[in-house]
């Protein structure tokens, strides 16, 4: 019986690791969906129908009728999926970029709020044709997001302030500032509740799908994703960010400006969050309410994690997330299961994906079980 | 010194073979009597730390026996070792900075009262004061450990072992972090411990300590016992010879052509009074000055931890010296950060390849371009050129003959030798005028090591200056034109490479010879022209 | 006492009482977070832990009558309190296992637990109560408040000890006020407290000294979960007498900030929690004075940022002196 050499063992271990890496996400998705199903089974009288609605509820329905031929129904629902996916794509990029430099920036919420504010302010108060003002809207929003992202970055590099705490605090400040302005100088005096005036028609992004809020942002989203990818993979800045995230000591030794890479990654994150802000103000809501719910930024975090911080995978993760969320809303409307079950599914997905040793441990346990069976005749 | 018939600690034929094939200890046998201070001495890699791990239960011997007071025992983990009466004072102190001395000493086995949870602070303080007095340690049990000096902290560690009932105390390179006075105070304390019947095992590489502090010693070389005996019976030089005692290996015997001194144009790189201090104020580099001529390799010999790594960091720009500067052709490059230093023509191979030399999870291309990515042709105005990047990486791989993988492969999948070839190739590709090479062939197979040496020589032939820091004497002797020895942050010796005897070199490295052999020293500043003058003098 | 002084005294006492009531949940969660942070594990899931405890506390105490008919009604809220703490402990257990056994990044896992808690509580709320907003339909009991009899000639003392509404402070408020010094004593004078600090400061040293590091890490996380749970129970069984979706409203994150603002010490955390409570109270007061509440709510995070910057600046100055 030949003893496996050390080299062969190492190679076998490496192969196993690669296999496990590839299977972790799909298995995590399956496992969390299974738990979600178990949960619906516990509370619902028709769990199968409920769960099926969760998985298919967001889809538009193709219907044939002799008068009108093929029609796509339920586009409003699917439109909601697309809108959500677009917002989450931008927010996912906002979290993924700092993550590549190993920075836990949770500031996407605040950056988005301030950027939305800037976009609305420019839309409301800067006169001129759309051709001139709309780009200004984007510029104002992106500059705001960039600055609000750079701030915790600088605090980290100059004062070693933990970026989790600083971004959380800056989120709180940003949201309060937003509420201050919306209920103060940006307030629409004619409206019955605290909200900005309706943004001028010419500055609302044109629709792509009737009766939905799917706008040209849908076309902009892949461009922005492409921009993020280009930034990360084809520019010196992106290279620095990646290197600092992977091997900070080596980066320092090679002369890479580590501090700049750190705050730049966070600032670029804010830049991308700004697009979500513009999307919310000029496409989705068309006016900013004071009670805009914070928390979307953390969903961007989930998307980034599921996409393993890879820009090109983020739209897909965002779409899946939005798809499940809308499916859950459909499920809630038509069955007796509430839509929060999808939050539980997503939380479990994250936990399973980041529990790095879980799969190897299970695999080992499985192998020893098999060996045991084989050993005992 | 009491002599009992049964040695307190005995090793019989102990060997340790690691899974990767390294034979760290080879048939080591030694006997240590109770009440004796015994030194285990040897260079880095001689097997000292492995021996210590075996005795403390951190590893198991592959063969042989360990006997405590004549009885064979198996030490499966440190807890068993502690129960058997063996204590270890590690080189990197394991203390909790915000707790007091007393709290640290009793950490893990605090005396309690009441329901068994309330700390009996007074009992701890009492025990610590008693022990401290008994062995002559000047320690205040209420002092916070974070505020203490290194020497005091070490004594806290020793007290920790004594509190747990150790009868055999092992100290791992204790004087590596101590000043002269602190070291003397330590040895005085150790002597008092031995007088009370404790056995002390000193793991060290410093010869001077042996005669001043120890009764007997054992020399390890290449994992085997190379000698030993009573400290009084041997001279420093004799011990040094036992430690280093190697014949020039065949590779270095056939020395390839070195540039004769006369052809040097003059000093290219000059270091002037480089001084550096640690965070606690301790001086780690003290007035280091030297010159390297164009096309010259200056080797730095010395046991690790004597300032060579600090020197490398200062010269490559990672760290600013508190005093002094270094320049190339008169242009100062220290204290300006790494990028400016590199722009001035400095390149560096770091000592810890996996941590500082490569990004293991990134591709060979990404690693190869790390130094020059911001310049054409790899990037223009911030835009990377993937084709140029690939070509660049391929070029380096071809020049260094790394055929093992595609440029897109992760560099972490390469062998150590191939990785180092890429590292060196990358540095050479930046056409440096001064290369700092720290331990360039550590963890590298022989074939790759020879290729790396060829590359270094080729770089030298282009007129660059090279500072070669290495713990491998063969390598130093084969490549260097001149060799200087660093000890305690200073340059203590300096020879032309052809005229040095390995035994003498070892003597300076281990501190046996210390400014005593004046004939071996060249006058400072240690320049090439002086080397030439000396050479002519000797001839 | 002059009537002016009296009214000032009453006002101050009222503010102080309100401050304590507002700070209690933050203080409890912050003390919990401090324990786990001192042991080297930063617990960002405080928000979610508070939420589950608040929810299960209400549910169990409301249904205790039907589940345990023999039990005297006075015990229902205590049963709910126990259930809430157990729920928080269970969730903390998930976090601990994922991090300590399976190598999940603690911060990411903590965020996931927050999302899990938010989803789970509303899901169960809808299924068990039928209302996604709150449990107002259930008539859930609250934990008792402690009332001190005060002589009528000291109205300000009455307001201070019994609150502006005279009903007395909640029992958990006293628990919070006691927990701080108890925790300080625990950390300083007990063996386990020393072990906890050792594990957080130098894990290797602790391991080599024979301290059961894994056990201590688990214990620290679980203790932080229990304290955060108490903070959540205060919200749903004291502050209010029902559970509302997202009723923690960011207090868990404020607790985290309080730890950093308080320089990771018990006294500092206590003061920081009081500061955050004060700002909540001031917001309502100043709202009446035409100062926008949003500005007041900005104060705690701003103060935290400034404190972090100051600490970093001090470190820079020290390094520059070398």
């Amino acid at each position: 019986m030949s003893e496996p050499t050390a080299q062969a063992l190492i190679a076998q271990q490496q192969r196993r690791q690669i296999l496990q890496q590839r299977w972790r996400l799909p298995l995590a998705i399956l496992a969390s969906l299974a738990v979600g199903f178990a949960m619906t089974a516990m509370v619902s009288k028709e769990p199968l129908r409920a769960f099926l609605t969760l998985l298919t509820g967001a889809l538009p329905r193709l219907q044939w009728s002799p008068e009108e031929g093929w029609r796509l129904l339920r586009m409003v629902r699917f439109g909601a999926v697309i809108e959500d996916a677009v917002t989450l794509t931008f927010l996912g990029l906002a979290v993924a970029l700092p993550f590549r430099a190993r920075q836990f920036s949770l500031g996407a919420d605040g950056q988005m709020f301030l950027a939305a504010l800037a976009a609305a302010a420019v839309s409301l108060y800067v006169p001129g044709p759309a051709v001139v003002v709309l780009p200004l809207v984007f510029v104002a929003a992106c500059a705001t997001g960039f600055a609000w992202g750079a701030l915790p970055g600088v605090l980290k590099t100059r004062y070693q302030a933990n970026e989790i705490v600083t971004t959380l605090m800056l989120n709180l400040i940003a949201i309060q500032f937003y509420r201050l302005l919306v209920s103060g100088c940006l307030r629409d005096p004619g409206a019955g509740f605290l909200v900005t005036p309706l943004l001028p028609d010419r500055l609302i992004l044109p629709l792509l799908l009737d009766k939905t809020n799917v706008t040209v942002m849908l076309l902009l989203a892949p461009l922005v994703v492409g921009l993020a990818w280009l930034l990360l993979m084809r520019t010196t800045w992106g290279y620095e960010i990646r290197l600092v995230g992977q091997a900070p000591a080596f980066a320092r030794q090679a002369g890479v400006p580590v501090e700049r890479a750190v705050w730049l990654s966070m600032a670029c994150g804010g830049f991308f969050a700004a697009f979500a802000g513009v999307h919310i103000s000029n496409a989705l809501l068309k006016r900013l309410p004071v009670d805009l719910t914070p928390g979307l930024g953390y969903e961007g975090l989930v998307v980034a994690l599921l996409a393993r911080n890879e820009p090109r995978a983020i739209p897909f993760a965002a779409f899946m997330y939005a798809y499940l969320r809308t499916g859950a809303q459909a499920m809630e409307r038509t069955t007796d299961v509430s839509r929060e079950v999808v939050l539980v599914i997503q939380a479990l997905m994250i936990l399973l994906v980041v529990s790095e040793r879980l799969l190897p441990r299970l695999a080992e346990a499985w192998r020893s079980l098999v060996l045991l069976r084989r050993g005992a005749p | 010194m009491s002599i009992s018939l049964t040695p307190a600690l005995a090793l019989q034929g102990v060997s340790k073979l690691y899974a990767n094939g390294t034979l760290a200890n080879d048939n080591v046998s030694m006997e240590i009597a109770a009440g004796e201070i015994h030194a285990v001495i040897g260079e880095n890699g001689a097997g000292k730390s492995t021996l210590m791990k075996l005795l403390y239960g951190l590893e198991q011997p592959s063969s042989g026996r360990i006997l405590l007071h004549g009885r064979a025992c198996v030490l499966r983990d440190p807890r068993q070792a502690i129960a058997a009466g063996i204590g270890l004072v590690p080189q990197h102190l394991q203390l909790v900075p915000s707790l007091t001395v007393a709290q640290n000493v009793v950490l893990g086995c605090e005396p309690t009262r009441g329901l068994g949870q309330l700390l009996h602070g007074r009992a701890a303080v009492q025990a610590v004061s008693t022990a401290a007095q008994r062995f002559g340690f000047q320690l205040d049990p209420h002092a916070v450990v974070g505020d203490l000096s290194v020497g005091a902290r070490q004594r806290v560690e020793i007290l920790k072992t004594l509190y747990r009932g150790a009868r055999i105390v092992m100290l791992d390179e204790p004087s590596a972090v101590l000043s002269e006075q602190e070291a003397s105070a330590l040895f005085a304390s150790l002597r008092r411990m031995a007088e009370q019947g404790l056995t002390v095992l000193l793991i060290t590489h410093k010869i001077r300590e042996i005669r001043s502090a120890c009764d007997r010693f054992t020399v390890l070389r290449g994992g085997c016992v190379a000698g030993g005996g009573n400290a009084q019976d041997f001279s420093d030089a004799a011990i040094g010879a036992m430690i280093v005692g190697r014949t020039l290996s065949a590779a270095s015997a056939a020395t390839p052509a070195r540039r004769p001194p006369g052809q040097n144009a003059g000093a290219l790189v000059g270091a002037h009074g480089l001084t550096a201090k640690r965070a606690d104020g301790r001086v780690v580099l003290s007035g280091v000055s030297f010159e390297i001529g164009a096309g010259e390799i200056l080797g730095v010999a010395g046991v690790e931890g004597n300032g060579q790594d600090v020197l490398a960091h200062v010269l490559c720009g990672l760290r600013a010296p508190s005093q002094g500067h270094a320049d190339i052709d008169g242009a100062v490059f220290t204290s300006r950060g790494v990028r400016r230093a590199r722009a001035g023509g400095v390149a560096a191979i770091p000592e810890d390849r996996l941590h500082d030399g490569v990004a293991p999870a990134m591709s060979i291309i990404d690693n190869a371009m790390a130094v020059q990515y911001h310049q054409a042709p790899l990037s223009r105005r911030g835009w990377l050129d993937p084709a140029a990047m690939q070509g660049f990486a391929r070029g380096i791989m071809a020049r260094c003959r790394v055929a093992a993988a595609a440029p897109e492969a992760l560099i972490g999948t390469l062998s150590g030798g191939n990785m180092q070839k890429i590292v060196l190739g990358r540095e050479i590709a930046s056409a440096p005028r001064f290369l700092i090479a720290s331990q360039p062939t550590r963890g590298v197979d022989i074939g790759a090591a020879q290729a790396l040496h060829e590359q270094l020589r080729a770089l030298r032939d282009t007129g660059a200056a090279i500072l070669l820091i290495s713990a491998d004497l063969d390598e130093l002797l084969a490549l260097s034109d001149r060799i200087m020895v660093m000890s305690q942050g200073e340059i203590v010796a300096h020879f032309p490479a052809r005229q040095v005897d390995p035994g003498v070199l070892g003597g300076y490295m281990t501190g046996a010879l210390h400014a005593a052999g004046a004939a071996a020293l060249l006058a400072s500043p240690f320049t090439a022209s002086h080397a030439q003058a000396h050479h002519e003098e000797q001839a | 006492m002059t009537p002016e002084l009296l009214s000032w005294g009453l006002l101050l006492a009222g503010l102080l009482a309100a401050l304590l009531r507002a700070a209690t949940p933050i203080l409890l969660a912050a003390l919990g977070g401090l324990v786990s942070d001192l042991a080297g594990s930063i617990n960002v899931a405080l928000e979610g832990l508070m939420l589950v405890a608040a929810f299960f506390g209400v549910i169990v105490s409301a249904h205790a009558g039907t589940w345990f008919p023999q039990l005297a009604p006075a015990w229902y809220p205590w049963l709910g309190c126990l259930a809430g703490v157990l729920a928080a402990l269970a969730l903390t257990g998930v976090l601990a296992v994922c991090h300590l056994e399976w190598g999940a990044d603690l911060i990411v896992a903590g965020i996931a637990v927050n999302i899990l808690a938010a989803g789970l509580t509303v899901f169960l709320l809808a299924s068990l109560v039928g209302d996604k907003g709150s449990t107002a339909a259930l008539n859930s009991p609250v934990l008792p408040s402690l009332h001190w009899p005060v002589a009528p000639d000291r109205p300000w003392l009455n307001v201070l000890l019994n609150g502006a509404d005279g009903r007395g402070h909640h029992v958990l408020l006293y628990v919070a006020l006691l927990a701080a010094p108890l925790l300080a004593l625990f950390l300083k004078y007990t063996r386990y407290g020393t072990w906890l600090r050792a594990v957080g400061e130098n894990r290797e040293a602790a391991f080599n000294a024979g301290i059961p590091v894994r056990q201590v890490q688990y214990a620290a996380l679980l203790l932080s979960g229990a304290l955060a749970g108490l903070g959540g129970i205060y919200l749903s069984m004291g502050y209010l007498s029902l559970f509302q979706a997202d009723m923690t409203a960011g207090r868990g994150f404020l607790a985290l900030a309080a730890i950093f603002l308080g320089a990771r010490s018990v006294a500092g955390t206590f003061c920081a929690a009081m500061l955050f409570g004060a700002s909540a109270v001031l917001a309502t007061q100043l709202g009446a004075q035409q100062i926008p509440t949003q500005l007041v709510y900005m104060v705690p995070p701003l103060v935290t940022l400034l404190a972090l910057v100051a600490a970093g600046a001090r470190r820079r100055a020290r390094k520059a002196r070398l």
Side-chain angles (χ1 to χ4, degrees):
Chain A
M1 171 90 150
S2 60
E3 275 291 341
T5 63
Q7 280 277 43
L9 273 174
I10 294 176
Q12 186 187 41
Q13 249 182 5
Q14 274 184 345
R15 270 200 307 271
R16 281 213 189 109
Q17 266 178 354
I18 298 177
L19 216 75
Q20 278 162 3
Q21 282 274 52
R22 229 178 287 166
W23 276 106
R24 202 173 324 141
L25 185 59
L27 284 178
I29 296 178
L30 282 175
S32 41
L33 284 175
V35 172
F37 181 68
M39 282 176 65
T40 55
M42 279 197 292
V43 299
S44 165
K45 295 189 207 70
E46 339 164 75
L48 213 54
R49 183 170 86 90
F51 211 66
L52 233 56
T53 317
L54 173 68
L55 293 179
T56 61
L59 287 175
R61 204 189 303 164
L62 211 54
Q63 207 180 52
W64 162 266
S65 73
E67 312 94 51
E68 305 186 34
W70 285 108
R71 270 197 321 153
L72 269 180
L73 291 181
R74 293 226 290 246
M75 277 313 283
V76 179
R77 209 182 280 178
F78 195 62
V81 176
I82 300 180
E83 291 154 28
D84 269 348
V86 169
T87 317
L88 287 173
T89 300
F90 296 132
L91 289 176
L93 290 175
V95 174
L97 218 73
F99 252 68
R100 290 298 282 259
R102 230 187 267 200
Q103 304 303 311
F104 278 108
S105 171
L106 302 176
D109 243 12
Q111 291 149 9
M112 181 182 77
F113 267 69
L114 287 184
L117 204 59
V122 169
S123 303
L124 288 171
Y125 295 117
V126 174
V131 186
V132 170
V133 182
L134 204 52
L136 276 181
V137 165
F138 276 96
V139 166
C142 291
T144 312
F146 189 86
W148 202 244
L151 189 51
V154 169
L155 291 180
K156 173 98 192 254
T157 53
R158 266 184 83 89
Y159 302 106
Q160 291 94 48
N162 182 309
E163 73 272 14
I164 303 172
V165 181
T166 51
T167 50
L168 283 178
M169 295 298 107
L170 287 173
N171 275 354
L172 293 177
I173 295 177
I175 293 171
Q176 294 302 331
F177 185 72
Y178 168 94
R179 293 194 182 143
L180 187 67
L181 285 195
V182 169
S183 37
C185 53
L186 285 185
R187 183 175 166 190
D188 181 359
F193 49 101
L194 289 172
V195 73
T196 66
L198 202 54
L199 299 188
D201 256 349
R202 70 186 196 286
L203 290 175
I204 305 233
L205 297 178
L207 284 178
L208 282 183
L209 277 180
D210 273 336
K211 297 206 213 84
T212 65
N213 274 324
V214 179
T215 61
V216 291
M217 274 301 216
L218 176 61
L219 301 176
L220 198 57
L223 291 179
V224 172
V225 169
L227 183 66
W229 183 85
L230 278 178
L231 174 68
L232 209 53
M233 304 300 290
R234 287 282 181 270
T235 64
T236 51
W237 284 353
Y239 174 73
E240 287 166 4
I241 288 174
R242 282 183 292 133
L243 197 62
V244 166
Q246 287 282 351
F250 168 47
R252 218 176 277 274
Q253 174 84 40
V256 171
V258 172
E259 276 75 30
R260 187 182 75 190
V262 166
W263 73 251
L264 195 62
S265 71
M266 291 210 240
C268 289
F271 174 82
F272 290 115
F275 283 94
V278 175
H279 189 225
I280 288 193
S281 83
N282 287 50
L284 290 182
L285 298 179
K286 308 180 189 62
R287 67 199 308 189
L288 294 178
V290 76
D291 58 357
L292 183 62
T293 352
L296 264 181
Y298 303 114
E299 307 199 353
L301 177 70
V302 178
V303 168
L305 283 174
L306 290 175
R308 307 306 261 153
N309 303 313
E310 173 57 58
R312 288 174 300 183
I314 283 182
F316 297 100
F319 182 78
M320 178 183 78
Y321 192 101
Y323 180 85
L324 279 180
R325 188 138 56 104
T326 313
Q329 282 170 343
M331 177 180 70
E332 185 177 77
R333 268 202 293 271
T334 59
T335 69
D336 54 353
V337 183
S338 64
R339 68 177 189 270
E340 275 71 18
V341 71
V342 78
L343 283 177
V344 175
I345 294 176
Q346 277 149 355
L348 285 175
M349 241 187 257
I350 304 178
L351 280 176
L352 291 174
V353 164
V354 296
S355 294
E356 315 234 317
R357 287 202 292 269
L358 179 54
L359 203 53
R361 288 259 184 108
L362 286 176
E364 245 182 73
W366 177 258
R367 270 198 300 275
S368 41
L369 202 68
V370 166
L371 279 175
L372 217 66
R373 286 260 188 88
R374 232 185 263 167
Chain B
M1 186 173 63
S2 56
I3 305 176
S4 49
L5 292 172
T6 328
L9 175 66
L11 287 94
Q12 292 179 345
V14 168
S15 301
K16 176 66 188 175
L17 175 66
Y18 280 108
N20 61 7
T22 318
L23 185 62
N25 285 140
D26 190 358
N27 202 21
V28 172
S29 297
M30 61 172 88
E31 283 182 1
I32 304 164
E36 178 184 313
I37 301 185
H38 192 103
V40 173
I41 188 161
E43 295 181 300
N44 290 345
K48 308 191 297 288
S49 45
T50 310
L51 198 66
M52 183 185 67
K53 285 187 199 167
L54 293 175
L55 287 171
Y56 199 53
L58 291 165
E59 297 275 0
Q60 314 304 319
S62 317
S63 60
R65 304 195 298 165
I66 299 175
L67 296 127
L68 282 175
H69 298 287
R71 271 200 319 263
C73 62
V74 174
L75 303 164
R76 265 181 254 281
D77 59 31
R79 222 169 296 198
Q80 287 191 345
I82 295 175
I86 301 178
L88 173 64
V89 176
Q91 190 177 5
H92 301 291
L93 302 177
Q94 311 254 347
L95 299 171
V96 182
S98 75
L99 298 179
T100 64
V101 168
Q103 286 172 324
N104 265 287
V105 169
V106 301
L107 190 67
C109 41
E110 292 87 349
T112 58
R113 60 176 164 186
L115 303 159
Q117 260 305 314
L118 270 172
L119 290 178
H120 199 192
R122 242 172 313 189
V125 169
Q126 192 65 6
V128 170
S129 327
T130 328
Q133 270 183 357
R134 196 168 141 213
F135 300 106
F137 294 164
Q138 310 279 17
L139 280 177
D140 172 15
H142 295 289
V144 172
V145 161
D147 300 332
L148 292 180
S149 69
V150 183
R153 282 193 229 182
Q154 210 172 50
R155 258 174 251 126
V156 176
E157 279 279 4
I158 300 178
L159 269 184
K160 262 170 84 168
T161 63
L162 297 174
Y163 180 76
R164 283 160 182 71
R167 303 293 303 166
I168 302 171
V169 179
M170 298 192 289
L171 294 102
D172 186 8
E173 307 274 6
S175 56
V177 293
L178 298 179
S179 66
E180 288 280 343
Q181 297 125 305
E182 284 175 322
S184 320
L186 172 69
F187 297 138
S189 309
L190 293 178
R191 176 57 59 194
R192 240 181 304 239
M193 283 160 63
E195 278 162 12
Q196 307 216 7
L198 294 171
T199 312
V200 176
L201 199 64
L202 258 186
I203 316 241
T204 176
H205 61 266
K206 295 198 181 163
I207 304 184
R208 257 180 300 160
E209 296 173 359
I210 299 182
R211 291 226 268 128
S212 61
C214 311
D215 305 315
R216 293 177 59 240
F217 70 96
T218 303
V219 176
L220 286 183
R221 198 171 71 223
C224 315
V225 172
N230 287 329
Q232 311 291 346
D233 302 340
F234 289 81
S235 69
D236 282 353
I239 303 179
M242 265 193 265
I243 295 175
V244 170
R246 54 159 54 92
T247 54
L248 285 173
S249 62
S252 52
T255 49
R258 244 193 236 103
R259 277 163 157 242
Q263 291 184 7
N264 292 333
L268 177 65
V269 173
H272 310 279
L274 291 174
T275 308
K277 282 199 269 253
R278 267 205 332 218
D280 58 10
R282 191 160 151 259
V283 173
V284 284
L285 266 191
S286 177
V288 169
S289 304
F290 57 83
E291 287 179 9
I292 314 180
E296 194 178 21
I297 299 183
L298 176 63
V300 180
V303 180
E304 275 178 63
N306 278 290
Q308 301 96 308
D309 51 344
V310 182
L311 181 63
H313 286 173
V314 165
L315 288 176
C316 76
L318 273 176
R319 185 182 173 154
S322 50
Q323 277 171 32
H325 65 276
D327 53 54
I328 296 183
D329 261 347
V332 176
F333 63 83
T334 46
S335 309
R336 279 164 176 54
V338 177
R339 196 157 261 195
R340 297 269 201 91
R342 284 185 178 275
V346 177
I349 300 177
E351 188 181 317
D352 188 344
R353 178 172 52 249
L354 279 179
H355 190 254
D356 305 315
V358 295
M362 292 179 87
S363 66
I364 297 179
I365 301 179
D366 285 330
N367 275 278
M369 60 191 253
V371 169
Q372 294 179 275
Y373 69 92
H374 56 288
Q375 296 161 343
L378 292 174
S379 74
R380 265 171 247 276
R381 298 226 209 109
W383 283 100
L384 297 172
D385 181 349
M389 283 156 47
Q390 234 216 27
F392 185 75
R394 272 192 210 277
I396 292 183
M397 288 170 74
R399 274 196 302 273
C400 307
R401 276 176 260 136
V402 176
E408 291 81 13
L410 297 185
I411 206 174
T413 59
L414 293 181
S415 69
N418 280 333
M419 249 196 262
Q420 193 75 317
K421 284 192 208 170
I422 306 260
V423 171
L424 181 54
R426 167 185 77 211
E427 301 297 323
I428 292 180
S430 63
R433 301 173 72 204
F434 177 37
L435 174 72
I436 307 151
S438 301
Q439 318 291 352
T441 55
R442 174 184 283 172
V444 164
D445 56 281
I446 300 199
Q450 280 177 345
L452 289 166
H453 287 178
E454 268 175 47
Q455 293 259 307
L456 286 173
R457 283 193 199 101
L459 179 64
R460 176 203 62 196
D461 289 337
T462 66
I466 300 182
L467 187 73
L468 176 66
I469 303 173
S470 178
D472 183 345
L473 280 184
D474 285 334
E475 181 174 54
L476 281 176
L477 292 170
L479 286 176
S480 318
D481 298 307
R482 291 177 291 134
I483 299 182
M484 66 187 194
V485 182
M486 281 189 72
S487 178
Q488 307 268 51
E490 295 175 318
I491 303 179
V492 296
H494 178 229
F495 324 84
R498 280 167 302 164
Q499 296 182 3
V500 69
D501 176 67
V504 172
L505 197 59
Y508 276 102
M509 283 167 62
T510 52
L513 301 165
H514 185 67
L521 288 178
L522 297 175
S524 70
F526 306 124
T527 62
S529 44
H530 275 88
Q532 180 189 358
H534 181 84
H535 167 70
E536 287 163 355
E537 226 176 276
Q538 298 273 315
Chain C
M1 241 196 203
T2 64
E4 255 185 24
L5 214 57
L6 191 62
S7 64
W8 270 113
L10 277 175
L11 184 65
L12 236 63
L15 282 179
L16 203 56
L19 186 159
L20 287 174
R21 286 187 179 173
T24 296
I26 303 177
L27 178 60
L28 283 168
L31 288 176
L34 182 65
V35 166
S36 71
D37 189 46
L38 284 178
S41 312
I42 181 171
N43 186 352
V44 299
L46 296 172
E47 179 91 358
L49 296 172
M50 287 172 86
L51 215 53
V52 285
F55 177 77
F56 280 98
V58 161
I59 292 290
V60 170
S61 63
H63 286 112
T66 43
W67 294 344
F68 302 99
Q70 280 94 3
L71 207 55
W75 283 108
Y76 295 168
W78 293 106
L79 203 61
C81 181
L82 181 65
V85 171
L86 286 178
L89 283 177
L91 202 54
T92 317
V94 170
L95 179 65
V97 166
C98 281
H99 171 59
L100 294 172
E101 298 297 324
W102 299 331
D105 183 281
L106 193 54
I107 295 168
V108 174
I111 296 174
V113 166
N114 279 339
I115 300 176
L116 180 63
L120 191 65
T121 50
V122 177
F123 177 77
L124 289 175
L125 182 64
S127 328
L128 294 177
V129 179
D131 176 3
K132 280 186 80 170
S134 75
T135 63
L138 298 175
N139 245 327
S140 58
V142 294
L143 286 172
S145 302
L146 299 178
H147 189 272
W148 303 98
V150 178
D153 64 332
R154 305 219 203 179
W156 50 270
L157 194 60
N158 189 34
V159 169
L160 183 64
L161 289 181
N162 295 320
D165 51 9
R167 284 189 328 178
H169 289 312
H170 196 255
V171 62
L172 285 181
L173 188 148
Y174 289 105
V175 168
L177 288 180
L178 278 177
L182 278 180
L183 191 65
L185 289 175
F186 167 74
L187 289 172
K188 192 152 184 223
Y189 289 116
T190 64
R191 170 198 261 197
Y192 216 77
T194 315
W195 285 8
L196 202 129
R197 288 160 61 195
V199 167
E201 272 190 56
N202 190 343
R203 196 180 304 171
E204 215 189 313
F207 181 73
N208 286 326
I211 295 176
V213 167
R214 207 25 92 77
Q215 190 199 94
V216 170
Q217 286 177 308
Y218 269 109
L221 275 174
L222 288 174
L223 184 57
S224 80
L227 284 169
L230 284 177
I233 290 175
Y234 173 78
L235 286 178
S236 70
M237 294 176 68
Y239 203 64
L240 298 175
S241 63
L242 46 75
F243 173 84
Q244 270 173 341
D246 193 42
M247 79 182 305
T248 47
R251 285 186 182 84
F253 292 119
L254 278 183
L256 210 59
I259 301 171
F260 281 87
L261 185 55
R264 299 168 86 233
S265 73
V266 177
T269 308
F270 184 86
C271 297
M274 291 298 130
L275 173 69
F276 290 174
S279 83
V281 170
L282 277 178
T284 39
Q285 291 293 324
L286 293 178
Q289 312 277 349
Q290 299 284 15
I291 299 182
T293 58
Q294 290 90 359
L295 278 183
V296 182
Y297 281 127
M298 276 197 228
V299 170
L302 212 54
V303 172
T304 313
L305 284 177
L306 289 174
L308 288 173
V309 168
R314 264 202 304 267
R315 252 171 294 161
R316 269 170 83 92
R318 228 184 299 147
K319 248 200 226 176
R321 257 185 276 129
L322 252 186

